[in-house]
Amino acid sequence: MESGSLRKYSNFSEWYDYVVEAADIIDKRYPVKGMLVWKPYGYKALKLSMRILENLLEEYGHEEAYFPMLVPEEVFAKEKDFLEGFSGETFVVERTIRKVLMRKFLLRPTSETVMYYMFSLWIQSYKDLPIKLFQTVNVFRYETEHTRPILRVREIIMFNEAHTAHESLEDANKQIKEAIEIYKKFFDSLGLSYLILKTPKWDTFAGAEYNFDFFEIMPDKRAIELGSVINLGQKFAKAFDIKYQKRDGSYEYVYQTCYGVSERVIGVLISVHGDDRGIIFPAHIAPIQVIIIPIPYKGSEEAVFKKCDDILLKLKQNGIRARIDKTENTPGEKYYYWELRGVPVRVEIGPRDVRNNTVTLVRRDTLKRMVVKDEELLPKLNELFKEIFDNLKKKSWEWLNQNIHTASSVEEAKEIYREKQGIIKVPWCGRDECGQKIEEATELEGLGHDPEEKAEGACVICGKEAKWYFYIGKKY
Ligand SMILES: [Zn+2]
């Protein structure tokens, strides 16, 4: 693809596929469909992001652990809804090259069954509760639909899954609130906007009582799930016999929750924050925060390169991830290359900057250029990092809000969707029957409802007083 032919909004799919490879995030040429190679540049951004979430989980009292990747088939099959829900996409290991194994193992598509087998051994008494654990691991799901780099894959390489066990339903409900708070902070820290919806009952996670999903809207105006928070109730506890002795000596099953986020968040971040030139990383997760471009003229090479080295050293000493582009490329080619990769700030240094003790800065989001004195460089960079982040975050929320539309009838919902896509919300009485009819009549998918948001008007199906808005759209 030619420089300048990228169009994020009018041809998102082409833009996305080009950018994630050209910017060295991933390489999709490995010969297993849906399994990607993460290149150092992309992997660094992913790790920096996941660390924010891991730190948040720890702040809120979770501990990190590790559980094995293989699940014996009989353990996996203990919770029937879960088995049913994941049966189509779970890989099975049944042999070595030479021989058939004595029993079948499954590759974890998520780790409920792996962890809860152990929970049943660990939990005896109320004194063992609550348990709040997480792990960041790869999981495998045989996606039958089209795979998309990072967004829909068969090996999810960084699945951060938290699992908790509690004494009462009330405690589990509190945990759900805490998980939502943690995820809000996490997405806020990435500058991403989100909509939090309670999943329709007929789409609830296999084996769960209820769940909430975080949604963002992609540049092609389809909704994408960023993360899920799930109340498992006692279903797994009963299937895995996870009982504890209460303070009064009697026994009860524990109440459980789980919640997960994956590398998909980076795919969404690239899509939502990027522009026609490529990626725009917020500085705190940018693998390279500052790229220094020498602009030497004949006779000034030595002085220019020396100043570049001095600036690089100063930035590194101050904890800034910086690099100099000393390749043979022209300055224009270098700008294009690093803009595509989303480096938040470019520092240009030419002979005039050497003479005047200045540097020229260009911020990636607005491409605004400014000249600052050498001694102002560090404070100016920190100021720019913050301004870029605030700008990306503001734009992301504007994007989400301008793509949620309200309709008061099925016909109107269809008409708005035809014209504008995005997410449509319609008044709903709250009954499953009407929710499913809304999906059928509009040929859109139900995303859920916000229990805190009271609706006005009448249910678009039955005409009874609406309780909530039912959100519909097309999902990734
Ligand atoms: Zn109704």
Side-chain angles (χ1 to χ4, degrees), residues 28 93 100 154 208 216 228 231 234 249 269 275 292 313 336 346 349 413 429:
K28 56 175 187 260
V93 178
V100 174
R154 289 179 177 172
E216 173 64 292
S228 279
N231 193 325
Q234 291 180 306
L269 179 141
D275 63 12
I292 303 169
L313 186 66
Y336 170 76
R346 175 165 89 222
I349 296 172
C429 63

Side-chain angles (χ1 to χ4, degrees), residues 427-431 433-435 438 458-466:
W428 175 47
C429 63
R431 288 186 304 147
E433 203 189 314
C434 287
I438 293 170
C459 174
V460 294
I461 299 293
C462 69
K464 289 195 183 125
E465 196 188 337

Side-chain angles (χ1 to χ4, degrees), residues 18 48 74 144 170 178 305 338 381 395 401 431 452:
Y18 176 76
L48 287 166
E74 68 276 13
T144 48
E170 199 195 341
E178 182 183 285
F305 279 111
W338 294 107
L381 278 178
K395 279 189 173 169
N401 290 327
R431 288 186 304 147
E452 318 246 298

Side-chain angles (χ1 to χ4, degrees), residues 247-288:
R247 287 167 173 83
D248 66 7
S250 66
Y251 286 86
E252 199 190 353
Y253 291 108
V254 297
Y255 293 81
Q256 292 177 272
T257 79
C258 63
Y259 25 103
V261 165
S262 75
E263 70 262 27
R264 177 184 264 200
V265 73
I266 287 293
V268 175
L269 179 141
I270 287 170
S271 306
V272 170
H273 291 336
D275 63 12
D276 287 350
R277 289 167 188 260
I279 298 173
I280 306 176
F281 277 123
H284 58 297
I285 63 152
I288 298 173

